[in-house]
Amino acid sequence: MLRLGWKVLTLGAVASLGLSACGASVQSTLKGATASVGAQQYLQVHLTASATATGASSAQATKVEKVLSHLSYDITEQSTSGTALSKSAGKINEEIAISVGSRKLVDVIEIGTDIYAKVDFTSLAQIPSAGVSSAQTAGLQLLLGARWFELPSSLLNNYLPSKAQVKSQTARQHAVEQKVVDALTALIDKTKYTTLSGGGYQEKGTLQSVADALAPVMAGITSTPVHNGKVPGTYQVGISLSGSTATGADIAITAPNGTSGDMTVQVTATIAHQSDSINAPSGATVITPQLIASLSGRASGSGLGLG
């Protein structure tokens, strides 16, 4: 399920490559570039973000950038069947990490049907302007921090939807994703691109065109009225390749920030396929209903407000 989110995020950038392919359609090139992401046994995706602004918004953007510059998001996957990830449904180990600098704030590993999690609360104090001190995180760090916890499938089954429900939800998500891809592909097919001097391609367009392209899709999947007013701002997407393999993508969105000027938020992804195995951490504390109740009581007694 997590793979769906970041894949949709980068599809627009990957699709822009299609406009450069001599004699190749956007749809076929999009499929090829997207397929390359899951075409091997291993995958690493590294995401970072930045913010800039003009006019009076500059001060606000500077504060946001001080936070974003310290954060990164990593997705690592390994097919346990030894085949391509795209052909290994149900046989994929995965690690998701949110880092502050070189320190992992949140680290989640999925091995089979078991999930392992670790949080380093002290790293929050390393984020400028976050307003969190080491003293404020000391209690949580002592109680829960810097240790692995295992959430076994036997526990998760008590709280998560049934396999049939998950299968149904996943099928719906894939259907929506395909509709979004089709709508964006049609838009990209009509938009001009430029070739970058260092290799790769770049495309620019308006947010209004994106809203218009996605409006029919949204109308078909939600009963909530879809906003049909003007959507100011622009987008810019880019893609980098090594042969036919996608190695990176970026997307930047610029929009008015009230009446204070424009703000731009950019997300950059790097894609690699190093042979990095994902293993279950040793010495993890197994979470049980009894342990949850005990931790909630201790947290309440210490004023931390857990549970």
Side-chain angles (χ1 to χ4, degrees):
M1 292 176 65
L2 288 169
R3 288 188 289 277
L4 296 178
W6 65 257
K7 188 168 75 171
V8 170
L9 175 67
T10 58
L11 276 176
V14 173
S16 67
L17 170 66
L19 301 176
S20 69
C22 180
S25 69
V26 174
Q27 186 68 30
S28 64
T29 307
L30 169 60
K31 288 182 178 179
T34 303
S36 75
V37 176
Q40 299 186 42
Q41 182 183 358
Y42 300 92
L43 171 67
Q44 299 88 36
V45 179
H46 180 70
L47 294 168
T48 58
S50 61
T52 57
T54 60
S57 294
S58 297
Q60 180 183 359
T62 299
K63 293 180 180 180
V64 174
E65 174 62 18
K66 284 183 178 180
V67 175
L68 293 179
S69 64
H70 285 76
L71 298 177
S72 61
Y73 182 82
D74 289 275
I75 301 169
T76 305
E77 295 181 352
Q78 174 197 1
S79 165
T80 58
S81 66
T83 58
L85 289 163
S86 59
K87 299 179 180 179
S88 304
K91 297 179 180 179
I92 297 176
N93 289 345
E94 185 173 28
E95 180 175 10
I96 307 278
I98 300 175
S99 301
V100 179
S102 60
R103 299 174 63 177
K104 293 181 179 179
L105 169 61
V106 178
D107 197 356
V108 178
I109 295 177
E110 183 179 358
I111 303 291
T113 57
D114 297 329
I115 294 177
Y116 302 82
K118 182 172 70 172
V119 180
D120 180 4
F121 293 98
T122 60
S123 62
L124 289 171
Q126 307 304 313
I127 304 176
S129 305
V132 179
S133 67
S134 298
Q136 290 174 304
T137 61
L140 284 172
Q141 184 71 7
L142 180 63
L143 183 62
L144 299 171
R147 69 181 72 174
W148 283 103
F149 290 93
E150 176 184 353
L151 287 76
S153 56
S154 57
L155 175 68
L156 294 173
N157 290 339
N158 295 328
Y159 301 97
L160 297 179
S162 66
K163 291 184 178 179
Q165 289 175 312
V166 170
K167 184 176 181 179
S168 176
Q169 291 171 357
T170 301
R172 286 197 296 270
Q173 288 177 330
H174 278 292
V176 171
E177 181 185 273
Q178 189 57 55
K179 291 180 179 179
V180 170
V181 170
D182 291 343
L184 292 178
T185 299
L187 170 63
I188 289 169
D189 199 19
K190 299 183 295 184
T191 308
K192 293 182 179 180
Y193 73 94
T194 58
T195 302
L196 302 178
S197 59
Y201 303 88
Q202 192 175 78
E203 181 177 292
K204 297 180 180 180
T206 65
L207 295 183
Q208 182 66 58
S209 66
V210 176
D212 292 341
L214 294 180
V217 178
M218 298 305 298
I221 62 176
T222 179
S223 58
T224 303
V226 179
H227 175 69
N228 57 3
K230 292 184 177 181
V231 182
T234 60
Y235 72 87
Q236 177 175 297
V237 294
I239 177 69
S240 56
L241 295 173
S242 176
S244 60
T245 301
T247 58
D250 64 84
I251 180 168
I253 295 177
T254 301
N257 184 28
T259 59
S260 303
D262 292 339
M263 180 175 288
T264 299
V265 176
Q266 179 170 341
V267 177
T268 301
T270 57
I271 303 169
H273 301 276
Q274 302 297 321
S275 300
D276 293 337
S277 298
I278 302 173
N279 303 303
S282 61
T285 300
V286 179
I287 297 294
T288 63
Q290 294 77 14
L291 181 58
I292 293 175
S294 174
L295 289 174
S296 297
R298 290 168 61 187
S300 298
S302 64
L304 295 173
L306 272 178

